[in-house]
Amino acid sequence: MNSSEHTADCSNSVSARRWAGHWVALIVLVAGYVALFAYFYPPMYGIEDEAGFINQALIWSKGCVSTECAGLGDLYDTISVNGYHVEWRNPGRSLLVLPFLVSGMPDAMFASGAIIHVTICLIGALVITRLGASPLYASLLLCHPTLAIYSRTIMGDAPAAMFVLLALYAIVRARRPGLWAGVALACATVMRLHSVVALPFVVAALIHGLPREKRLREAISCSVAGAAGILVMSSYNLAIFDSLAGPISPNFSSEFAIGNLMFYGAALASIWPIMLLAPLAVRSSVRWYVIALCFPLLALLCFYYWYDKGPTIPETLVLGQRLLQPAIPVWIVAYAMVVNDTLVARLRVVAGTRFVSIGMAVIGVFLLFGVAIGFREHQVHLQRFVDVRHELSGIIPEGSLVIGNGTLMKLFGVPGKGVPVYRWEYLDYFGMPLDHSDEIADEPRDWFLAVLAKGDDATSTAVVSAYTDRYPMTRLPTRSPGLVLYRVAAPGS
């Protein structure tokens, strides 16, 4: 062991003793999160993407890649390729669900979200302590509303975030930072394809930040390892979709840039106050790496046509950052370092280290209460879906033709015990009624029109009116708020 390695090891040992109490406090907060997750365990999925990821894993659990091979019929969220129906989601998240399905524990698959979230928190704590600050700052990761809420879902953004953060950890910790950062970014790409946008910028940061004798080797290693993720995705797309690019839609345009930038700017500046510019204000040597892992993804999403919206502005600020999740943990690490080097450093001088440490732990507890509130509201949201699915299952006979909106259709998208199979048709396409008159004309049984409004009030929209004006419909009474159900009797009945 040379002298520099001995010095580094001694420094790490001193740092570990210094933050021992802070690590204990963080582990207590993590245990609190796990307890909340278990208490408010998700009763079902709530996003159509989740149904796609779950169904993809379900097909694979049968040793197949198409619904026909798996014997699952016309499965939700599939596309037709060469006469077969296949799921089109990025494969990474479904791979993480697959063990739960293969082992016969499908209800336990939501626990994967909690495992990923806790891992993100602990990796963040390791990065932050490596940079000389308290691991308790990782409570900002643990309790970030967007990360916490989506930890209850089967989505690809959170595991992508885990690997992007792991890339930063490799940069601050590994002897071969380029190689391991590239591997981590390759894994992130398999989880969420748009994570790859950070790769060339990380390579540039390595060239800028490493000593001359290491920069070329590590830049090449990062490029090759990161490109492996692109190779895996391209090979997968070619095998499944007969296309290197896969089923990609051109949904990017400059017309979205200003509005999206205003939204993301407001969201990043409001949830953790003034976090937006934190990567630019980091004083340590990781500044350029943080910038490379954060801003390219933000720039890309500014041109994307969509971000999630909730019924209120605060909910939109939380839910709308869904696609930005791969960068959010790194952003929070940057924020923690800026807060530590400015505000908290001054407080330590004025009030003392012990006071600041207690204050940080208390703030963490309050943040965890915020997570509990968010979990409770999300649980109510999911329970509404469970109730709607149960109610419709008791009214509509299995095999019936049902014309419905996407909010309702997704609830029946994953096959399972007690979930009837219907012949679904979309009611509309972005607000425009779809014409199913040919299928309706040939329908020998009663058929149904069903709509689940996103809000509490279900009103007769223009799309529903287009059907009620055309067909002799009977509105059926329903208990679930927002659920509207009509039946059309078969000819001659």
Side-chain angles (χ1 to χ4, degrees):
M1 178 183 293
N2 61 39
S3 60
S4 62
E5 291 173 332
H6 177 74
T7 302
D9 289 342
C10 290
S11 175
N12 291 338
S13 176
V14 171
S15 178
R17 290 195 299 270
R18 177 187 179 188
W19 301 123
H22 291 224
W23 274 107
V24 171
L26 179 63
I27 296 302
V28 170
L29 292 175
V30 168
Y33 161 83
V34 172
L36 288 172
F37 192 95
Y39 184 77
F40 294 108
Y41 194 82
M44 70 172 294
Y45 60 91
I47 304 172
E48 68 175 60
D49 300 45
E50 292 183 84
F53 286 120
I54 296 169
N55 282 343
Q56 187 165 245
L58 183 60
I59 293 170
W60 294 347
S61 71
K62 309 292 185 181
C64 301
V65 295
S66 72
T67 61
E68 288 80 6
C69 170
L72 296 171
D74 187 14
L75 206 57
Y76 180 79
D77 202 49
T78 58
I79 60 174
S80 179
V81 178
N82 296 329
Y84 294 94
H85 289 85
V86 298
E87 288 288 349
W88 57 276
R89 303 286 174 179
N90 281 183
R93 190 61 175 99
S94 296
L95 286 173
L96 300 181
V97 171
L98 187 58
F100 297 93
L101 301 183
V102 172
S103 61
M105 300 187 298
D107 292 338
M109 63 185 170
F110 291 102
S112 63
I115 294 169
I116 292 166
H117 189 63
V118 169
T119 303
I120 288 173
C121 174
L122 297 179
I123 294 172
L126 290 172
V127 173
I128 290 168
T129 53
R130 185 71 178 180
L131 296 175
S134 166
L136 257 178
Y137 283 113
S139 62
L140 297 174
L141 286 159
L142 183 71
C143 301
H144 188 277
T146 302
L147 300 179
I149 284 296
Y150 283 111
S151 74
R152 293 167 51 81
T153 67
I154 307 295
M155 302 285 282
D157 309 277
M162 179 180 69
F163 284 112
V164 170
L165 184 59
L166 200 57
L168 181 62
Y169 180 63
I171 288 168
V172 302
R173 185 70 177 86
R175 296 178 184 274
R176 295 290 306 276
L179 172 63
W180 294 112
V183 170
L185 289 176
C187 294
T189 300
V190 176
M191 297 294 165
R192 263 298 193 188
L193 184 59
H194 62 251
S195 303
V196 75
V197 70
L199 178 60
F201 297 93
V202 171
V203 171
L206 288 167
I207 294 173
H208 176 270
L210 290 178
R212 185 181 298 274
E213 65 274 11
K214 293 178 62 176
R215 63 180 58 163
L216 181 60
R217 182 192 68 187
E218 294 306 311
I220 293 174
S221 297
C222 186
S223 300
V224 172
I230 303 174
L231 180 62
V232 168
M233 286 303 302
S234 297
S235 301
Y236 176 79
N237 290 337
L238 190 61
I240 304 298
F241 309 110
D242 277 348
S243 168
L244 287 174
I248 294 178
S249 301
N251 294 318
F252 293 88
S253 173
S254 58
E255 67 179 284
F256 307 120
I258 295 178
N260 286 0
L261 181 59
M262 291 177 63
F263 164 72
Y264 283 117
L268 287 167
S270 59
I271 292 184
W272 295 156
I274 322 178
M275 191 175 80
L276 172 63
L277 300 178
L280 300 177
V282 173
R283 296 175 182 174
S284 75
S285 59
V286 301
R287 177 184 180 187
W288 290 108
Y289 301 108
V290 168
I291 291 173
L293 292 168
C294 291
F295 287 119
L297 181 58
L298 174 62
L300 178 69
L301 294 179
C302 282
F303 294 94
Y304 192 57
Y305 82 104
W306 179 88
Y307 58 83
D308 207 352
K309 296 180 177 66
T312 66
I313 291 177
E315 288 175 279
T316 296
L317 291 174
V318 172
L319 300 178
Q321 294 186 67
R322 168 176 146 189
L323 298 179
L324 192 61
Q325 281 182 88
I328 288 177
V330 175
W331 226 304
I332 293 174
V333 168
Y335 180 69
M337 298 312 301
V338 172
V339 170
N340 182 73
D341 293 343
T342 54
L343 177 63
V344 175
R346 296 175 183 176
L347 282 176
R348 285 196 180 99
V349 173
V350 174
T353 300
R354 184 177 179 81
F355 175 84
V356 170
S357 298
I358 294 173
M360 291 174 67
V362 170
I363 290 172
V365 172
F366 275 106
L367 293 178
L368 199 59
F369 274 116
V371 171
I373 294 171
F375 278 14
R376 183 189 63 188
E377 294 301 313
H378 190 237
Q379 192 77 353
V380 170
H381 174 70
L382 294 180
Q383 189 59 49
R384 178 193 178 211
F385 287 163
V386 173
D387 294 341
V388 166
R389 187 168 68 180
H390 179 73
E391 182 174 6
L392 278 188
S393 300
I395 298 174
I396 303 177
E398 187 160 4
S400 297
L401 170 65
V402 185
I403 299 175
N405 65 337
T407 304
L408 187 58
M409 290 174 64
K410 68 185 178 185
L411 306 186
F412 294 82
V414 177
K417 185 178 180 181
V419 182
V421 177
Y422 299 129
R423 291 180 290 122
W424 287 98
E425 295 290 350
Y426 277 101
L427 175 69
D428 68 301
Y429 182 76
F430 289 100
M432 297 298 294
L434 295 175
D435 184 8
H436 301 293
S437 55
D438 290 343
E439 186 170 3
I440 290 170
D442 296 332
E443 182 58 34
R445 305 168 54 182
D446 291 0
W447 60 275
F448 298 82
L449 185 146
V451 175
L452 181 62
K454 282 193 173 182
D456 291 332
D457 298 323
T459 57
S460 295
T461 65
V463 178
V464 174
S465 296
Y467 275 87
T468 56
D469 292 344
R470 183 172 182 180
Y471 298 99
M473 293 187 166
T474 301
R475 183 163 180 176
L476 302 179
T478 56
R479 300 185 308 273
S480 300
L483 178 62
V484 175
L485 180 62
Y486 293 90
R487 183 184 66 225
V488 180
S493 63

